[in-house]
Amino acid sequence: MKAKVYVSLKPGVLDPQGKAIQHSVELLGFTGIADVRQGKYFEIALQDSDDQEQAQESVARMAREVLSNPIIEDYRVEIEG
Amino acid sequence: MKFGIIVFPGSNCDHDAYHVISKQVGQPVEFIWHRDTELNSFDAVIIPGGFSYGDYLRAGALARFSPVMESVKKFAASGRLVLGICNGFQILCEAGLLPGALIRNRDLHFICEHVFVRVETSDTPFTNEMKQESVLRIPIAHAEGNYVCDDATLRELEQDDRIVFRYCDPAGNVTAAANPNGSRDNIAGICSSSRNVLGLMPHPERACEDLLGSSDGRDIFRSLAATLAAVA
Protein backbone atom coordinates (compact mmCIF):
# COMPACT_ATOMS: atom_id res chain seq x y z
CA MET A 1 0.00 0.00 0.00
CA LYS A 2 0.99 3.57 -0.50
CA ALA A 3 0.08 6.58 1.58
CA LYS A 4 0.03 10.10 0.24
CA VAL A 5 0.20 12.95 2.70
CA TYR A 6 -0.49 16.56 1.75
CA VAL A 7 0.62 19.25 4.19
CA SER A 8 -0.53 22.81 3.62
CA LEU A 9 -0.36 26.05 5.56
CA LYS A 10 -3.53 26.83 7.44
CA PRO A 11 -5.71 29.54 5.89
CA GLY A 12 -4.56 32.88 7.24
CA VAL A 13 -0.94 31.88 7.77
CA LEU A 14 1.20 34.08 5.55
CA ASP A 15 2.88 32.17 2.71
CA PRO A 16 5.60 34.43 1.30
CA GLN A 17 6.85 31.63 -0.98
CA GLY A 18 3.39 31.22 -2.48
CA LYS A 19 3.26 34.98 -3.07
CA ALA A 20 6.68 34.96 -4.82
CA ILE A 21 5.61 32.02 -7.00
CA GLN A 22 2.38 33.79 -7.93
CA HIS A 23 4.36 36.88 -8.89
CA SER A 24 6.74 34.86 -11.10
CA VAL A 25 3.91 33.00 -12.78
CA GLU A 26 2.17 36.29 -13.50
CA LEU A 27 5.40 37.67 -14.99
CA LEU A 28 5.23 34.78 -17.46
CA GLY A 29 1.91 36.15 -18.64
CA PHE A 30 -0.54 33.93 -16.80
CA THR A 31 -3.51 35.92 -15.64
CA GLY A 32 -6.50 35.36 -13.40
CA ILE A 33 -4.56 33.86 -10.50
CA ALA A 34 -6.24 34.72 -7.23
CA ASP A 35 -3.73 33.07 -4.91
CA VAL A 36 -0.91 30.50 -4.73
CA ARG A 37 -0.22 28.48 -1.58
CA GLN A 38 2.81 26.22 -1.38
CA GLY A 39 2.66 22.96 0.53
CA LYS A 40 4.48 19.66 1.01
CA TYR A 41 3.69 16.25 -0.40
CA PHE A 42 4.92 12.92 0.98
CA GLU A 43 4.70 9.42 -0.50
CA ILE A 44 5.03 6.72 2.10
CA ALA A 45 5.36 3.10 0.98
CA LEU A 46 3.82 0.77 3.54
CA GLN A 47 4.75 -2.85 4.12
CA ASP A 48 2.19 -5.18 2.62
CA SER A 49 -0.93 -5.07 4.65
CA ASP A 50 -4.61 -5.17 3.76
CA ASP A 51 -5.85 -3.14 6.65
CA GLN A 52 -6.64 0.21 5.06
CA GLU A 53 -8.25 1.53 8.20
CA GLN A 54 -5.21 0.84 10.32
CA ALA A 55 -2.91 2.34 7.68
CA GLN A 56 -5.05 5.47 7.57
CA GLU A 57 -4.87 5.76 11.33
CA SER A 58 -1.14 5.27 11.64
CA VAL A 59 -0.25 7.60 8.74
CA ALA A 60 -2.60 10.24 10.15
CA ARG A 61 -0.66 10.03 13.40
CA MET A 62 2.64 10.43 11.51
CA ALA A 63 1.19 13.44 9.74
CA ARG A 64 -0.04 14.98 12.97
CA GLU A 65 3.05 14.36 15.06
CA VAL A 66 5.91 14.70 12.59
CA LEU A 67 5.06 15.71 9.03
CA SER A 68 2.99 18.76 9.97
CA ASN A 69 3.14 21.39 12.67
CA PRO A 70 -0.49 21.64 13.77
CA ILE A 71 0.01 25.26 14.87
CA ILE A 72 0.53 26.43 11.30
CA GLU A 73 -0.34 23.52 9.02
CA ASP A 74 -3.19 21.19 8.04
CA TYR A 75 -2.74 17.74 6.55
CA ARG A 76 -4.71 15.29 4.43
CA VAL A 77 -3.98 11.57 4.12
CA GLU A 78 -4.88 9.32 1.18
CA ILE A 79 -4.31 5.56 1.22
CA GLU A 80 -3.94 3.68 -2.05
CA GLY A 81 -4.38 -0.07 -2.18
CA MET B 1 26.92 26.73 38.54
CA LYS B 2 27.36 24.61 35.44
CA PHE B 3 26.16 25.31 31.91
CA GLY B 4 25.48 22.71 29.24
CA ILE B 5 25.34 23.38 25.52
CA ILE B 6 23.44 20.87 23.43
CA VAL B 7 25.03 19.85 20.16
CA PHE B 8 22.85 18.46 17.38
CA PRO B 9 24.16 17.38 14.01
CA GLY B 10 24.13 20.74 12.24
CA SER B 11 24.44 23.02 15.28
CA ASN B 12 26.95 25.73 14.43
CA CYS B 13 26.76 28.33 17.20
CA ASP B 14 27.65 25.85 19.94
CA HIS B 15 31.28 26.98 20.15
CA ASP B 16 30.28 30.65 20.26
CA ALA B 17 28.02 29.94 23.22
CA TYR B 18 30.76 27.87 24.87
CA HIS B 19 33.23 30.72 24.40
CA VAL B 20 30.88 33.27 25.96
CA ILE B 21 30.09 31.13 29.00
CA SER B 22 33.68 30.14 29.64
CA LYS B 23 35.44 33.41 28.77
CA GLN B 24 32.88 36.17 29.30
CA VAL B 25 30.71 34.73 32.05
CA GLY B 26 33.64 32.74 33.46
CA GLN B 27 31.64 29.66 34.47
CA PRO B 28 32.09 25.92 33.90
CA VAL B 29 30.50 24.73 30.69
CA GLU B 30 30.29 21.42 28.81
CA PHE B 31 28.97 20.29 25.46
CA ILE B 32 26.10 17.78 25.55
CA TRP B 33 25.81 15.50 22.51
CA HIS B 34 22.20 15.15 21.43
CA ARG B 35 22.22 11.43 22.20
CA ASP B 36 23.16 12.02 25.84
CA THR B 37 20.26 12.12 28.23
CA GLU B 38 21.92 12.88 31.55
CA LEU B 39 21.39 16.54 32.47
CA ASN B 40 21.35 16.31 36.25
CA SER B 41 24.73 17.95 36.77
CA PHE B 42 23.70 21.11 34.90
CA ASP B 43 21.99 24.25 36.18
CA ALA B 44 21.28 25.78 32.80
CA VAL B 45 21.10 24.37 29.30
CA ILE B 46 21.59 26.34 26.08
CA ILE B 47 20.17 25.10 22.78
CA PRO B 48 22.38 26.92 20.29
CA GLY B 49 21.79 28.20 16.79
CA GLY B 50 22.55 26.39 13.58
CA PHE B 51 20.79 24.09 11.19
CA SER B 52 20.02 20.97 13.21
CA TYR B 53 19.32 18.08 10.84
CA GLY B 54 19.81 20.47 7.93
CA ASP B 55 16.46 22.13 8.70
CA TYR B 56 14.86 19.16 6.93
CA LEU B 57 11.04 19.10 7.01
CA ARG B 58 10.82 22.30 9.11
CA ALA B 59 13.45 24.18 11.10
CA GLY B 60 13.77 22.41 14.45
CA ALA B 61 11.25 19.70 13.58
CA LEU B 62 13.62 16.72 13.62
CA ALA B 63 15.81 17.84 16.53
CA ARG B 64 12.71 17.52 18.68
CA PHE B 65 13.05 13.73 18.38
CA SER B 66 16.67 13.56 19.55
CA PRO B 67 17.04 11.58 22.78
CA VAL B 68 18.25 14.63 24.72
CA MET B 69 15.00 16.49 24.18
CA GLU B 70 13.00 14.28 26.54
CA SER B 71 15.59 15.14 29.19
CA VAL B 72 15.34 18.83 28.31
CA LYS B 73 11.58 18.65 28.87
CA LYS B 74 12.10 17.15 32.33
CA PHE B 75 14.90 19.65 33.02
CA ALA B 76 12.56 22.53 32.16
CA ALA B 77 9.71 21.02 34.18
CA SER B 78 12.01 20.91 37.21
CA GLY B 79 12.37 24.69 36.96
CA ARG B 80 15.93 24.81 35.72
CA LEU B 81 16.91 27.28 33.03
CA VAL B 82 16.73 26.60 29.30
CA LEU B 83 17.83 29.19 26.72
CA GLY B 84 17.11 28.55 23.05
CA ILE B 85 18.84 30.81 20.54
CA CYS B 86 17.69 31.00 16.90
CA ASN B 87 17.48 27.34 15.83
CA GLY B 88 17.22 26.64 19.57
CA PHE B 89 14.07 28.81 19.70
CA GLN B 90 12.66 26.94 16.69
CA ILE B 91 13.37 23.61 18.41
CA LEU B 92 11.70 24.75 21.66
CA CYS B 93 8.57 25.72 19.70
CA GLU B 94 8.50 22.45 17.77
CA ALA B 95 8.96 20.55 21.04
CA GLY B 96 6.01 22.36 22.60
CA LEU B 97 8.11 23.97 25.33
CA LEU B 98 7.19 27.39 23.95
CA PRO B 99 3.97 28.31 22.12
CA GLY B 100 3.72 29.37 18.48
CA ALA B 101 5.92 28.64 15.50
CA LEU B 102 8.60 30.28 13.36
CA ILE B 103 7.91 30.39 9.65
CA ARG B 104 9.67 31.74 6.58
CA ASN B 105 10.66 35.42 6.79
CA ARG B 106 8.10 37.81 5.32
CA ASP B 107 10.47 38.84 2.50
CA LEU B 108 11.86 35.31 1.96
CA HIS B 109 15.50 36.33 2.40
CA PHE B 110 17.95 34.87 4.85
CA ILE B 111 18.66 37.95 6.97
CA CYS B 112 22.06 38.38 8.59
CA GLU B 113 22.42 41.79 10.19
CA HIS B 114 22.47 43.66 13.49
CA VAL B 115 19.01 44.65 14.68
CA PHE B 116 17.64 46.41 17.75
CA VAL B 117 15.46 44.66 20.31
CA ARG B 118 13.70 46.16 23.30
CA VAL B 119 13.67 44.38 26.63
CA GLU B 120 9.94 44.07 27.33
CA THR B 121 10.24 42.62 30.81
CA SER B 122 13.00 42.32 33.36
CA ASP B 123 10.97 39.73 35.22
CA THR B 124 12.78 36.68 33.82
CA PRO B 125 15.95 34.86 34.90
CA PHE B 126 17.47 35.98 31.59
CA THR B 127 16.73 39.72 31.78
CA ASN B 128 16.70 40.58 35.49
CA GLU B 129 19.99 42.48 35.27
CA MET B 130 18.53 44.77 32.62
CA LYS B 131 16.08 47.64 32.78
CA GLN B 132 12.74 47.18 31.10
CA GLU B 133 12.63 49.06 27.79
CA SER B 134 16.39 49.10 27.41
CA VAL B 135 17.47 48.58 23.82
CA LEU B 136 20.01 45.95 22.76
CA ARG B 137 21.86 45.82 19.46
CA ILE B 138 22.22 42.14 18.55
CA PRO B 139 22.60 40.31 15.24
CA ILE B 140 20.01 38.05 13.68
CA ALA B 141 20.86 35.34 11.14
CA HIS B 142 17.86 33.36 9.97
CA ALA B 143 15.49 32.53 7.14
CA GLU B 144 12.69 31.24 9.39
CA GLY B 145 12.31 33.79 12.16
CA ASN B 146 8.82 35.01 11.47
CA TYR B 147 6.99 34.32 14.72
CA VAL B 148 3.36 33.28 14.39
CA CYS B 149 0.75 32.33 16.96
CA ASP B 150 -3.03 32.49 17.22
CA ASP B 151 -4.93 35.35 18.86
CA ALA B 152 -5.54 33.44 22.10
CA THR B 153 -1.83 32.65 22.48
CA LEU B 154 -0.86 36.26 21.84
CA ARG B 155 -3.34 37.47 24.46
CA GLU B 156 -1.95 34.96 26.95
CA LEU B 157 1.64 35.98 26.22
CA GLU B 158 0.74 39.64 26.73
CA GLN B 159 -1.33 39.11 29.86
CA ASP B 160 1.35 36.98 31.50
CA ASP B 161 4.16 39.37 30.53
CA ARG B 162 5.89 36.61 28.55
CA ILE B 163 6.97 38.64 25.53
CA VAL B 164 10.60 39.23 26.49
CA PHE B 165 12.04 40.96 23.39
CA ARG B 166 10.50 42.95 20.54
CA TYR B 167 12.23 44.24 17.41
CA CYS B 168 12.46 48.03 17.60
CA ASP B 169 14.24 51.03 16.09
CA PRO B 170 17.44 52.41 17.67
CA ALA B 171 15.35 54.67 19.92
CA GLY B 172 13.31 51.73 21.22
CA ASN B 173 10.13 52.36 19.24
CA VAL B 174 8.42 49.13 18.19
CA THR B 175 7.44 49.90 14.60
CA ALA B 176 6.53 47.93 11.50
CA ALA B 177 9.66 49.28 9.78
CA ALA B 178 11.84 47.84 12.57
CA ASN B 179 10.35 44.37 12.13
CA PRO B 180 12.91 42.47 10.04
CA ASN B 181 11.00 39.27 9.36
CA GLY B 182 7.27 39.85 9.77
CA SER B 183 7.00 38.44 13.28
CA ARG B 184 3.63 38.92 14.91
CA ASP B 185 3.68 42.03 17.12
CA ASN B 186 7.45 42.38 16.45
CA ILE B 187 8.09 39.43 18.78
CA ALA B 188 11.78 38.46 18.93
CA GLY B 189 11.70 36.34 22.09
CA ILE B 190 9.24 34.80 24.55
CA CYS B 191 9.43 32.81 27.77
CA SER B 192 7.43 29.90 29.17
CA SER B 193 4.62 30.38 31.68
CA SER B 194 7.01 29.36 34.45
CA ARG B 195 9.50 31.88 33.00
CA ASN B 196 12.49 29.49 33.10
CA VAL B 197 12.51 28.72 29.35
CA LEU B 198 13.46 31.53 26.97
CA GLY B 199 13.57 31.39 23.18
CA LEU B 200 14.81 34.24 21.00
CA MET B 201 15.80 34.61 17.37
CA PRO B 202 18.65 37.16 17.83
CA HIS B 203 22.09 35.84 18.70
CA PRO B 204 23.29 37.38 22.00
CA GLU B 205 26.32 35.07 21.98
CA ARG B 206 27.55 36.91 18.87
CA ALA B 207 27.37 40.25 20.65
CA CYS B 208 29.39 39.82 23.81
CA GLU B 209 32.62 41.61 22.91
CA ASP B 210 33.23 45.14 21.64
CA LEU B 211 35.53 43.64 19.03
CA LEU B 212 32.44 42.03 17.46
CA GLY B 213 30.64 45.35 17.09
CA SER B 214 28.40 45.03 20.13
CA SER B 215 28.58 43.65 23.62
CA ASP B 216 24.89 44.13 24.41
CA GLY B 217 24.23 40.40 24.41
CA ARG B 218 26.38 39.98 27.48
CA ASP B 219 23.61 41.34 29.71
CA ILE B 220 21.49 38.27 28.95
CA PHE B 221 24.23 35.90 30.06
CA ARG B 222 25.03 38.17 33.00
CA SER B 223 21.41 37.95 34.12
CA LEU B 224 21.48 34.19 33.75
CA ALA B 225 24.63 33.89 35.85
CA ALA B 226 23.30 36.31 38.49
CA THR B 227 20.09 34.27 38.76
CA LEU B 228 22.03 31.06 39.25
CA ALA B 229 24.41 32.71 41.73
CA ALA B 230 21.46 33.93 43.79
CA VAL B 231 19.98 30.43 43.91
CA ALA B 232 23.27 28.76 44.83
Side-chain angles (χ1 to χ4, degrees):
Chain A
M1 267 192 298
K2 191 160 88 178
K4 296 178 172 176
V5 182
Y6 303 84
V7 174
S8 51
L9 282 172
K10 281 185 193 292
V13 175
L14 179 77
D15 180 8
Q17 294 179 104
K19 286 268 173 282
I21 293 164
Q22 178 177 351
H23 181 63
S24 297
V25 169
E26 284 169 345
L27 283 180
L28 268 180
F30 291 95
T31 53
I33 301 164
D35 196 18
V36 176
R37 307 281 287 171
Q38 181 178 311
K40 297 190 183 103
Y41 167 65
F42 304 84
E43 285 184 352
I44 302 171
L46 302 167
Q47 305 280 13
D48 287 337
S49 150
D50 299 330
D51 195 338
Q52 288 232 3
E53 207 173 302
Q54 202 212 329
Q56 171 77 31
E57 204 175 291
S58 95
V59 173
R61 218 182 65 141
M62 274 182 230
R64 198 165 53 241
E65 294 180 7
V66 186
L67 304 180
S68 75
N69 178 342
I71 296 169
I72 46 170
E73 293 166 325
D74 292 323
Y75 64 85
R76 180 162 57 85
V77 174
E78 286 172 8
I79 305 288
E80 284 182 358
Chain B
M1 158 184 344
K2 191 160 109 184
F3 288 78
I5 293 163
I6 298 180
V7 183
F8 295 97
S11 296
N12 67 8
C13 301
D14 42 349
H15 284 267
D16 304 56
Y18 187 100
H19 171 81
V20 166
I21 299 298
S22 64
K23 300 287 192 249
Q24 297 292 334
V25 183
Q27 294 296 333
V29 54
E30 277 176 26
F31 289 119
I32 304 163
W33 182 234
H34 72 113
R35 292 195 173 283
D36 294 342
T37 53
E38 183 53 61
L39 300 180
N40 276 336
S41 66
F42 298 100
D43 301 294
V45 156
I46 297 174
I47 308 182
F51 299 85
S52 58
Y53 294 90
D55 275 355
Y56 295 167
L57 192 62
R58 297 178 303 277
L62 299 186
R64 165 159 76 101
F65 299 100
S66 274
V68 75
M69 286 309 294
E70 276 308 309
S71 306
V72 170
K73 282 185 187 169
K74 290 189 192 125
F75 190 84
S78 76
R80 283 173 288 176
L81 305 181
V82 178
L83 169 62
I85 301 168
C86 196
N87 190 222
F89 185 16
Q90 295 162 339
I91 294 168
L92 289 172
C93 286
E94 282 282 342
L97 284 166
L98 290 173
L102 293 143
I103 65 168
R104 196 67 191 251
N105 293 341
R106 176 193 52 213
D107 300 327
L108 288 168
H109 301 291
F110 186 100
I111 310 170
C112 186
E113 64 187 19
H114 280 74
V115 297
F116 295 92
V117 293
R118 192 172 75 183
V119 178
E120 300 292 83
T121 173
S122 49
D123 180 23
T124 80
F126 311 89
T127 54
N128 53 19
E129 291 285 299
M130 291 179 253
K131 282 207 180 70
Q132 192 174 330
E133 298 197 352
S134 51
V135 175
L136 311 178
R137 183 171 172 269
I138 301 183
I140 53 169
H142 60 245
E144 281 97 9
N146 182 348
Y147 182 77
V148 295
C149 66
D150 59 25
D151 295 346
T153 304
L154 183 66
R155 263 199 308 278
E156 196 184 309
L157 290 172
E158 278 171 345
Q159 275 165 10
D160 298 345
D161 195 24
R162 289 168 55 192
I163 299 169
V164 184
F165 299 107
R166 277 199 173 95
Y167 300 107
C168 65
D169 68 14
N173 302 305
V174 173
T175 63
N179 187 340
N181 53 26
S183 286
R184 186 151 195 198
D185 261 40
N186 282 44
I187 288 175
I190 55 169
C191 70
S192 61
S193 55
S194 44
R195 313 196 80 74
N196 62 316
V197 179
L198 171 73
L200 78 166
M201 286 314 295
H203 282 274
E205 83 286 10
R206 295 187 189 179
C208 288
E209 284 154 85
D210 294 335
L211 187 64
L212 298 177
S214 169
S215 56
D216 291 354
R218 207 154 54 188
D219 290 342
I220 294 174
F221 298 101
R222 238 167 23 88
S223 298
L224 238 173
T227 303
L228 292 175
V231 174

